[in-house]
Amino acid sequence: MSDIEIRRADAADAERLHAALCQLSTDLNDTHMASLDDMLRHGFSGEPAFFALLAIRKSDDRTVGALLASPVFSTTRGGAGLYVSDLWVDSHVRGAGLGQRLLAAAVDLAPENWSVTFVKLAVYHDNPDAQRFYERLGFKPRKDETVFDLMGPELENLRKRP
């Protein structure tokens, strides 16, 4: 693991980041709607909506991990946090602690003005391996929350309401 460097991604890394997150979607048999342009516009513009980390193996410059996080603020928790929407570790290095290193680096490398006091993420119900991984690190499921999404035509209808 000493051959792996974790660093903040910048605009020059957008293609590398996009490829890693496409691989995450493939690994999870999930959809991947974000384009390279979306990554550039939302992550590396004037006011980015997220920041990302890359884990690069120095010996061959191969991307072996990626993390994408956004700021979140909670009045009930009394502070700012990170919402980790994507965490990917290449199958060839899984089990060696890189996922934990990426999460720790996300807290350390988040923009200074975010003052991270908690980390939040969601795990698919059909991914017990991921659930066990996060629980081993001390994450706890929120029994009192249900995650809701609003998108597509329903989002457009909301925009049209007075």
Side-chain angles (χ1 to χ4, degrees):
M1 285 313 254
S2 62
D3 186 37
I4 296 175
E5 172 190 41
I6 296 174
R7 62 174 172 77
R8 290 266 315 251
D10 60 27
D13 295 313
E15 255 185 82
R16 186 187 286 254
L17 175 64
H18 185 252
L21 297 179
C22 283
Q23 185 60 52
L24 171 63
S25 296
T26 299
D27 291 352
L28 294 174
N29 196 28
D30 205 354
T31 59
H32 188 89
M33 301 294 292
S35 69
L36 178 57
D37 277 349
D38 292 330
M39 302 300 287
L40 284 164
R41 183 174 58 253
H42 295 293
F44 306 105
S45 61
E47 292 190 32
F50 67 82
F51 82 97
L53 302 178
L54 291 169
I56 311 292
R57 190 167 45 207
K58 294 182 264 186
S59 61
D60 59 6
D61 197 43
R62 180 176 170 171
T63 304
V64 293
L67 179 144
L68 191 140
S70 303
V72 61
F73 184 83
S74 172
T75 56
T76 59
R77 293 177 181 161
L82 291 179
Y83 177 73
V84 175
S85 57
D86 297 288
L87 174 62
W88 172 74
V89 173
D90 186 281
S91 61
H92 296 97
V93 295
R94 284 191 194 136
L98 183 55
Q100 181 175 349
R101 284 183 59 202
L102 279 162
L103 286 164
V107 174
D108 291 341
L109 298 175
E112 287 181 24
N113 64 336
W114 287 7
S115 303
V116 177
T117 60
F118 65 95
V119 176
K120 186 174 186 170
L121 49 80
V123 178
Y124 289 126
H125 293 291
D126 65 351
N127 194 344
D129 291 340
Q131 291 173 27
R132 283 189 295 275
F133 166 73
Y134 292 118
E135 287 172 351
R136 276 194 311 271
L137 296 179
F139 284 82
K140 297 183 180 16
R142 296 283 309 252
K143 306 268 187 236
D144 55 341
E145 281 188 4
T146 300
V147 177
F148 287 91
D149 287 329
L150 184 67
M151 53 198 291
E154 293 82 4
L155 178 60
E156 293 308 313
N157 287 340
L158 178 66
R159 287 183 169 137
K160 294 175 188 173
R161 291 195 174 133

